[in-house]
Amino acid sequence: MPLLFSEHSLEFDGTQYVSIGDVTELNFDSSDPFSISCWFKASTQSADNVLVSKSDATAPQRGWGLFLRSTGEIRFLLRSDSTGDLSLRVDTTASFDNDRWYHAVVTYDGSATAAGVGIYVGAEAVSISTVTDALGSPMTNSVSASIGSRADSDLEFEGFIDDVAVYDKALSPSEVATIYNFGEPVDLTSVGPTGNLVGFWAMGDGATFPTVPDLSANSNDGTMTNM
């Protein structure tokens, strides 16, 4: 079994976030497959809060985001234009409790359809419902990717986030299980589909304030803001 890696996480109070910047490796279009993995523990769900995103907060709101909704469900959103709601939105049918750690992975195959999305919690595929299924192109943007917010300082998360990873492929169920590792966070630079790892922020491990190192080969470090 891989060596236990994570010893730290970051706590967000609803005004804080990690800014990664407008980086090419995270600027996916609707035809690009990708996956997001993270651990989270919410303190409150009083509003829709962002776990990870690269999405504009103003029209046309292009980009992608992984949210924890105010009603407790996980939402994955891809949007090409807010006019006419040209977007793909799927929600988990089950909700998630406060003050409990969860590992979530969302996979997207680049098909621009809701059928191309999968959401896993604890390495198990969960049921999802389609809210909208009308994604167009382009959905690329020039805003900052962020952990704990959208476009830096919008829809900030309240709670803890750890071990955020982004891959440039739709992970398979076996790859998701490897990343989950029976509930023990691991060094994803040496475990799983490492050749497709385009970003990995361990959220405190090996960090010196205010920098959150990107441990992938791309070295797109994040900056803690209001922390």
Side-chain angles (χ1 to χ4, degrees), residues 56-122:
D56 202 338
T58 58
Q61 294 186 331
R62 289 176 181 155
W64 57 266
L66 183 61
F67 298 76
L68 184 65
R69 301 194 64 214
S70 60
T71 46
E73 300 90 3
I74 292 174
R75 167 167 288 183
F76 182 53
L77 167 65
L78 307 174
R79 176 172 280 146
S80 52
D81 199 330
S82 54
T83 302
D85 201 7
L86 299 180
S87 67
L88 188 165
R89 281 182 286 180
V90 297
D91 294 347
T92 56
T93 56
S95 59
F96 299 85
D97 298 330
N98 289 335
D99 301 316
R100 177 180 174 185
W101 279 105
Y102 295 96
H103 178 254
V105 173
V106 60
T107 66
Y108 171 67
D109 67 2
S111 64
T113 65
V117 176
I119 298 179
Y120 299 78
V121 177

Side-chain angles (χ1 to χ4, degrees), residues 153-171:
S153 72
D154 184 59
L155 303 180
E156 292 98 325
F157 183 76
E158 293 186 59
F160 295 82
I161 301 176
D162 195 15
D163 284 19
V164 175
V166 181
Y167 296 84
D168 63 359
K169 66 169 291 185
L171 297 175

Side-chain angles (χ1 to χ4, degrees), residues 3-85:
L3 180 67
L4 178 65
F5 179 70
S6 181
E7 296 179 347
H8 305 284
S9 61
L10 287 188
E11 183 177 9
F12 300 78
D13 69 358
T15 67
Q16 304 164 326
Y17 55 92
V18 174
S19 177
I20 299 169
D22 176 20
V23 298
T24 301
E25 292 82 6
L26 304 183
N27 202 18
F28 300 111
D29 208 340
S30 55
S31 59
D32 296 325
F34 67 101
S35 301
I36 306 161
S37 168
C38 71
W39 291 82
F40 70 91
K41 181 171 73 169
S43 299
T44 181
Q45 297 171 20
S46 58
D48 289 0
N49 295 320
V50 174
L51 292 164
V52 194
S53 76
K54 192 178 190 303
S55 175
D56 202 338
T58 58
Q61 294 186 331
R62 289 176 181 155
W64 57 266
L66 183 61
F67 298 76
L68 184 65
R69 301 194 64 214
S70 60
T71 46
E73 300 90 3
I74 292 174
R75 167 167 288 183
F76 182 53
L77 167 65
L78 307 174
R79 176 172 280 146
S80 52
D81 199 330
S82 54
T83 302
D85 201 7

